[in-house]
Amino acid sequence: MQARAESPPTKRFHDLDALRACAMLLGVLLHATFHTIPWRYFDRPVLPGGPNVWALPYFHGVQLIHGLRMPVFFLLSGFFCALLWQRRGLRGLLKNRVLRIALPLLICIPTIRNLEYIINRLTWGGNPTTAQWFNSVVLRDLSNLWFLWQLLLLSGLFLLAARLGLRFRHRLWWLLLPLTWLPAFHMDQEFLVFGPETSVAVLVDIEVLAFYACFYFFGVFFYQRACEVRRWWMVAILPGVTLVYPLAIPLLFVRAVLRDTGDQLAGSLLETLFAWLMCFGLMGLFRAIAARERPWVRLLADAAFWIYLTHELLMQVLARHIRALVPNPHLFYIALVLVVSGLLLIAWTREVRYTWFGTLLNGVRERPGADSGAAGPAPPVPAYAGTGLSPERGSGGGN
């Protein structure tokens, strides 16, 4: 790592923008797995040669994605939150967080989340009361919207700290790396899943929020110190995948089955080490492969938030029909991912991007070929939705 050279105000972080999109879209692969194989496969060891050997690629795919995806996401969210702070000041940042995080959350709970709940009820039966609906949909299970709620809470903490004068530049912030294992150690693993727990309720598990706060505020510190990850850091991916992960998986089984404190300590240390290695490794990798602007990457980066918000609902609607046409589980998985992602990408590019909701999620964008007047509109400034991501770096300091 090295200090980041000063750059023009309009510099776009193409590599981090692409990595953000990748972290979001990995959620589609993750959730498609749960439509492909039963949940019980995550409640006990899946051993080579056993009756569930066909599920091994999906099992390990879920573990690897779950272990790195949200730590990367929250680190980048903190990084670009600091960028927006520098560029727009505290008042501008507050307005951005309300528009890009709070409003999408308030809109999606009675629409997307509610439709998911209705489909589940139609599938499993039952006629809930209004109180049961409110408790399930609003308070107890935000489903895929949980990250917006926690990001909103962390943004509020950041705004409070910045308002009190904290500048996140002291070298002691490097201690967040080893300290991350403390909340990881205290997490209760409900399922046999490698990596941090997911807290989907409005009343969040404090250890889960603290875990993601370490990555979020390290991202803030990383930007404030003008640091950057160099390309050679991509080598960190290799020990993470080939050494740390294979050592952690057996401990995960022991931790889940025997509740052994010693193995829980070692397992949480390995999970934390894996998350940090993958954060720095992927930042180095994407700097090597995605430092230049590519139109198709820009398209996916714009559409990623929309796809993530709506993909689970569409999967619930289409999974049964696709399974009837494609009974093979491997082909079903591929078909489900391609059909859902393709339909949502088409909907984004042709319709949603140019509506008020597309503007809310990702800033103003004129439809190609639209009559924009003689002078033409000013170039759009993407706000990067609930992720806290903005590709532009301002030259002025924050409030």
Side-chain angles (χ1 to χ4, degrees):
M1 298 181 200
Q2 62 180 10
R4 189 173 60 246
E6 287 300 318
S7 54
T10 56
K11 175 185 176 182
R12 184 181 181 96
F13 293 95
H14 298 292
D15 51 342
L16 300 184
D17 197 24
L19 180 55
R20 184 274 302 185
C22 181
M24 297 290 285
L25 295 176
L26 281 175
V28 179
L29 302 181
L30 184 73
H31 298 139
T33 303
F34 303 139
H35 290 276
T36 304
I37 64 175
W39 261 105
R40 65 177 182 272
Y41 289 3
F42 296 92
D43 294 334
R44 63 176 184 273
V46 183
L47 302 175
N52 301 324
V53 67
W54 68 271
L56 273 174
Y58 302 97
F59 175 83
H60 290 293
V62 165
Q63 311 304 331
L64 289 168
I65 292 174
H66 186 73
L68 64 89
R69 187 173 69 91
M70 296 315 295
V72 169
F73 172 82
F74 277 99
L75 189 150
L76 292 179
S77 295
F79 180 92
F80 283 102
C81 184
L83 182 152
L84 288 171
W85 177 34
Q86 182 189 65
R87 183 169 178 265
R88 303 183 183 183
L90 280 180
R91 183 172 297 181
L93 177 60
L94 175 60
K95 179 180 178 181
N96 180 275
R97 300 299 81 189
V98 171
L99 292 175
R100 309 304 181 209
I101 303 176
L103 283 182
L105 180 62
L106 291 175
I107 291 170
C108 290
I109 286 177
T111 55
I112 294 173
R113 177 67 191 105
N114 186 46
L115 288 173
E116 290 178 3
Y117 181 78
I118 291 173
I119 292 173
N120 282 330
R121 281 291 177 173
L122 291 175
T123 302
W124 301 105
N127 186 22
T129 64
T130 302
Q132 289 173 331
W133 172 89
F134 185 82
N135 181 58
S136 179
V137 173
V138 179
L139 298 180
R140 193 161 51 89
D141 187 3
L142 294 173
S143 188
N144 294 334
L145 303 176
W146 70 269
F147 80 100
L148 282 178
W149 174 238
Q150 295 203 19
L151 186 57
L152 189 62
L153 293 176
L154 292 176
S155 298
L157 289 175
F158 171 81
L159 286 164
L160 177 61
R163 185 68 181 84
L164 293 175
L166 195 60
R167 288 297 179 265
F168 304 95
R169 292 185 179 132
H170 199 282
R171 292 182 179 180
L172 286 176
W173 285 98
W174 283 103
L175 291 176
L176 287 175
L177 273 70
L179 289 177
T180 310
W181 75 268
L182 284 172
F185 173 72
H186 290 286
M187 289 183 194
D188 293 325
Q189 293 288 354
E190 184 179 356
F191 301 105
L192 192 60
V193 177
F194 175 73
E197 265 293 285
T198 301
S199 180
V200 297
V202 169
L203 188 61
V204 300
D205 295 333
I206 190 63
E207 62 271 14
V208 175
L209 185 65
F211 181 85
Y212 289 126
C214 291
F215 292 92
Y216 182 89
F217 286 105
F218 183 82
V220 174
F221 162 76
F222 207 67
Y223 181 84
Q224 290 295 90
R225 292 284 296 188
C227 296
E228 62 182 7
V229 175
R230 305 177 71 176
R231 294 183 178 186
W232 64 266
W233 268 92
M234 72 178 75
V235 302
I237 297 174
L238 187 61
V241 173
T242 63
L243 181 62
V244 177
Y245 174 74
L247 287 175
I249 287 298
L251 295 177
L252 179 66
F253 292 135
V254 175
R255 174 180 175 181
V257 176
L258 301 181
R259 299 292 179 180
D260 185 271
T261 304
D263 289 318
Q264 184 174 344
L265 173 60
S268 60
L269 285 171
L270 290 173
E271 288 173 346
T272 303
L273 177 60
F274 176 83
W276 284 112
L277 284 174
M278 298 307 290
C279 282
F280 294 130
L282 288 172
M283 290 172 74
L285 175 63
F286 274 75
R287 185 172 183 185
I289 66 176
R292 295 185 295 108
E293 182 174 9
R294 294 178 175 86
W296 67 272
V297 175
R298 178 73 175 270
L299 172 63
L300 288 177
D302 283 349
F305 189 43
W306 155 258
I307 292 175
Y308 185 79
L309 285 178
T310 55
H311 76 276
E312 179 60 27
L313 175 60
L314 193 56
M315 280 184 180
Q316 290 184 4
V317 173
L318 296 181
R320 185 175 300 180
H321 303 286
I322 295 176
R323 193 185 305 276
L325 296 173
V326 189
N328 180 278
H330 308 299
L331 295 179
F332 165 79
Y333 177 82
I334 296 172
L336 184 63
V337 170
L338 292 180
V339 169
V340 169
S341 302
L343 289 175
L344 292 176
L345 184 60
I346 292 172
W348 171 259
T349 55
R350 293 191 176 183
E351 300 297 336
V352 179
R353 183 64 186 94
Y354 309 106
T355 65
W356 65 269
F357 192 62
T359 299
L360 182 65
L361 294 183
N362 225 25
V364 178
R365 180 73 58 84
E366 291 289 335
R367 188 184 295 273
D371 184 10
S372 55
V381 181
Y384 286 80
T387 63
L389 296 182
S390 170
E392 299 178 344
R393 177 180 175 183
S395 57
N399 285 347

